[in-house]
């Protein structure tokens, strides 16, 4: 089986995926990094060579919005797998190209249309029969959240519960990058995500709430209490589908007051809008302009202090008795920068993409069709997390900070 991969996207996450793959020649024999901006690819490849990573990185230019260009690249390079860490707007064009070229697919974030702040799996799940018929596999949402959080949930379901009833995914970034205002991943995607209405699953239906309207302090390991806000996050859609015993599923994320104040001002003056406006006779999208003036997430790693903490808190039934389970990872920004010249949010997304790709290549996770990570055996993934830089901890039958 070929161990050659094409990675599309040369941002902060792409940098991590390339370097972690290049560190593991047993899984990845050839790596091609492609992006619209070739200079970004060349810079990452040069860093890989400078630090002596064993697998060489070849670079190519490609427009991920252009299916014929993608198909030509895939047919020429003939990879086993494409790892998509470009923009979520480009998921479908890359999936179309994979189908045409006969290449397997993996991404870290689900598709969303560019003209509306809405993300859901329906567009990608609709490819199920096409991929199955072609004998190809597409693995969706193989980052951290979504990604590891789905693996955590599947691991809990397999080993510790007869029925899971309540799931709370909690995500804290207690780091300090020293900037007045910056986002830890693509600003356009990040701001679209947190300014849309919140949503969570309860008793068989989605409950919609005003943005950031439900919040409370949650105590994070080695960090302490941080104000945490209920958002809608894409893994809730697949997890409630694949684990139908869940009575409630929510996603919580921390935000500092300075971040929220900046965001409120930007919203009030219209800078977070995705509706085009006329400026000097041209149509511009305010949020795209804001993205252009904010710090590039890939540049935040140096001197970034503190750590992230992301995990799943679950309550359910085991052997007829109530049971709780908490599984999490803490990741230090400084450690990530030392290893791959990246900040922790990019690292926690990029490492799981590498792990998922390695499991597809070795056949541990493989079946024709379109899948979310929780549909496969979680055990090998959990083992590789400990090996490749995202070790996890767990606690059983503790009191969790939620009302049931």
């Amino acid at each position: 089986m070929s161990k050659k991969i094409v990675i599309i996207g040369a941002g902060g996450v792409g940098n991590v995926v390339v370097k972690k793959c290049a560190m593991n020649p047993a899984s990845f024999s050839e790596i091609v990094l492609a992006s619209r901006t070739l200079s970004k690819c060349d810079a990452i490849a040069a860093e890989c060579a400078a630090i002596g990573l064993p697998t060489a990185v070849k670079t190519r230019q490609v427009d991920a919005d252009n299916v014929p260009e993608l198909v030509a690249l895939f047919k020429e390079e003939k990879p086993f797998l494409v790892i998509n860490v470009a923009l979520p707007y480009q998921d479908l064009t890359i999936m179309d190209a994979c189908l045409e070229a006969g290449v397997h697919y993996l991404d870290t974030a689900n598709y969303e249309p560019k003209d509306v702040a809405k993300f859901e799996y329906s567009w990608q799940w609709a490819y199920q029969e096409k991929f199955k018929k072609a004998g190809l596999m597409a693995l969706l949402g193989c980052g951290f959240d979504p990604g590891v959080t789905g693996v955590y949930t599947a691991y809990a379901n397999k080993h510790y519960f007869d029925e899971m009833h309540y799931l709370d995914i909690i995500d804290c970034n207690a780091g300090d990058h020293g900037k007045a205002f910056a986002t830890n991943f693509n600003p356009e995607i990040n701001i679209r995500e947190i300014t849309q209405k919140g949503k969570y699953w309860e008793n068989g239906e989605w409950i919609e709430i005003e943005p950031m309207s439900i919040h409370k302090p949650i105590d994070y390991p080695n960090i302490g209490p941080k104000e945490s806000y209920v958002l809608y996050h894409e893994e809730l859609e697949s997890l409630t589908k694949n684990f139908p015993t869940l009575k409630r599923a929510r996603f919580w994320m921390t935000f500092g007051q300075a971040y929220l104040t900046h965001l409120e001002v930007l919203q009030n003056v219209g800078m977070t809008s995705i509706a085009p406006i006329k400026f000097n006779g041209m149509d511009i999208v305010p949020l795209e302009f804001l993205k252009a003036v904010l710090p590039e997430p890939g540049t935040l790693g140096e001197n970034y202090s503190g750590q992230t903490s992301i995990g799943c808190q679950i309550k359910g039934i085991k052997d007829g008795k109530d049971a709780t389970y908490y599984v999490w990872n803490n990741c230090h920004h400084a450690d990530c920068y030392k290893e791959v010249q990246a900040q922790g949010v990019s690292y926690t997304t990029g490492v799981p993409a590498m792990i998922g790709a390695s499991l597809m290549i070795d056949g541990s996770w493989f079946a024709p069709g379109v899948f979310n990570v929780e549909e496969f055996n979680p055990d090998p993934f959990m083992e590789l997390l400990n090996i490749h830089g995202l070790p996890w901890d767990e606690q059983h039958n503790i009191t969790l900070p939620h009302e049931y």
Side-chain angles (χ1 to χ4, degrees), residues 225-244:
K226 293 286 183 181
E227 198 69 14
S228 305
Y229 297 78
V230 171
L231 308 178
Y232 177 65
H233 224 243
E234 61 215 68
E235 66 262 50
L236 296 180
E237 182 182 14
S238 68
L239 289 171
T240 53
K241 171 177 175 278
N242 290 317
F243 300 105

Side-chain angles (χ1 to χ4, degrees), residues 88-89 91 109-124 188-189 191-197 199 208 232-234 237 274:
Y89 316 135
D91 288 0
N110 69 3
Y111 173 74
E112 57 180 286
K114 195 168 178 61
D115 58 352
V116 58
K118 178 182 181 181
F119 48 95
E120 60 184 50
Y121 278 116
S122 61
W123 291 285
Q124 291 178 278
E188 190 179 348
I189 304 302
I191 292 171
R192 282 165 62 115
E193 177 180 293
I194 64 177
T195 54
Q196 70 171 304
K197 288 193 174 183
K199 193 166 64 170
E208 192 172 87
Y232 177 65
H233 224 243
E234 61 215 68
E237 182 182 14
I274 62 173

Side-chain angles (χ1 to χ4, degrees), residues 80-94:
F80 172 80
L81 170 71
V82 169
I83 299 177
N84 169 18
V85 283
L87 294 172
Y89 316 135
Q90 296 162 329
D91 288 0
L92 301 188
T93 56
I94 298 172

Side-chain angles (χ1 to χ4, degrees), residues 91-378:
D91 288 0
L92 301 188
T93 56
I94 298 172
M95 290 179 78
D96 286 336
C98 285
L99 281 168
E100 189 171 337
V103 178
H104 305 292
Y105 172 89
L106 179 151
D107 68 31
T108 63
N110 69 3
Y111 173 74
E112 57 180 286
K114 195 168 178 61
D115 58 352
V116 58
K118 178 182 181 181
F119 48 95
E120 60 184 50
Y121 278 116
S122 61
W123 291 285
Q124 291 178 278
W125 283 344
Y127 280 69
Q128 168 69 16
E129 288 307 313
K130 291 179 183 178
F131 269 78
K132 191 172 182 179
K133 185 176 179 181
L136 297 173
M137 176 174 164
L139 184 64
L140 308 182
C142 194
F144 204 108
D145 43 351
V148 174
T149 51
V151 175
Y152 281 170
T153 304
Y155 185 78
N157 185 69
K158 178 178 178 179
H159 294 284
Y160 302 128
F161 291 96
D162 298 322
E163 285 189 8
M164 297 186 298
H165 292 164
Y166 300 93
L167 167 65
D168 286 277
I169 298 168
I170 59 171
D171 181 326
C172 171
N173 180 13
D176 180 9
H177 46 54
K179 308 291 184 184
F181 182 80
T183 62
N184 290 288
F185 58 96
N186 184 288
E188 190 179 348
I189 304 302
N190 179 239
I191 292 171
R192 282 165 62 115
E193 177 180 293
I194 64 177
T195 54
Q196 70 171 304
K197 288 193 174 183
K199 193 166 64 170
Y200 64 93
W201 180 259
E202 188 166 36
N203 296 326
E205 62 181 359
W206 293 106
I207 309 298
E208 192 172 87
I209 60 173
E210 291 302 309
M212 319 290 271
S213 59
I214 296 178
H215 56 95
K216 67 179 177 182
I218 293 176
D219 198 357
Y220 294 87
N222 302 317
I223 293 172
K226 293 286 183 181
E227 198 69 14
S228 305
Y229 297 78
V230 171
L231 308 178
Y232 177 65
H233 224 243
E234 61 215 68
E235 66 262 50
L236 296 180
E237 182 182 14
S238 68
L239 289 171
T240 53
K241 171 177 175 278
N242 290 317
F243 300 105
T245 63
L246 285 171
K247 298 178 181 179
R248 187 182 69 205
R250 300 179 295 190
F251 182 95
W252 304 78
M253 183 175 280
T254 62
F255 297 96
Q257 190 53 54
Y259 181 96
L260 295 176
T261 300
H262 277 85
L263 184 63
E264 182 180 7
V265 172
L266 290 168
Q267 284 183 280
N268 287 343
V269 299
M271 285 304 300
T272 64
S273 172
I274 62 173
I277 63 168
K278 286 287 186 185
F279 178 75
N280 287 345
M282 299 171 57
D283 280 334
I284 69 164
V285 175
L287 183 55
E288 291 180 0
F289 178 80
L290 177 62
K291 172 188 173 183
V293 299
L294 288 177
E296 166 66 40
T299 67
L300 298 176
E302 192 171 9
N303 301 318
Y304 205 142
S305 60
Q307 58 188 305
T308 64
S309 182
I310 311 173
C312 293
Q313 298 182 332
I314 303 169
K315 184 177 185 294
I317 300 293
K318 179 67 174 177
D319 298 328
K321 298 178 182 178
D322 286 345
T324 65
Y325 179 63
Y326 179 24
V327 56
W328 75 94
N329 161 266
N330 275 36
C331 185
H332 290 264
H333 291 287
D335 292 344
C336 301
Y337 189 78
K338 184 176 180 181
E339 183 187 357
V340 294
Q341 300 75 55
Q343 39 96 346
V345 177
S346 295
Y347 190 88
T348 56
T349 305
V351 173
M354 179 276 290
I355 291 174
S358 71
L359 293 174
M360 288 176 67
I361 286 171
D362 74 17
S364 298
W365 278 19
F366 192 84
V370 176
F371 300 94
N372 294 90
V373 294
E374 66 269 15
E375 296 179 78
F376 290 94
N377 177 14

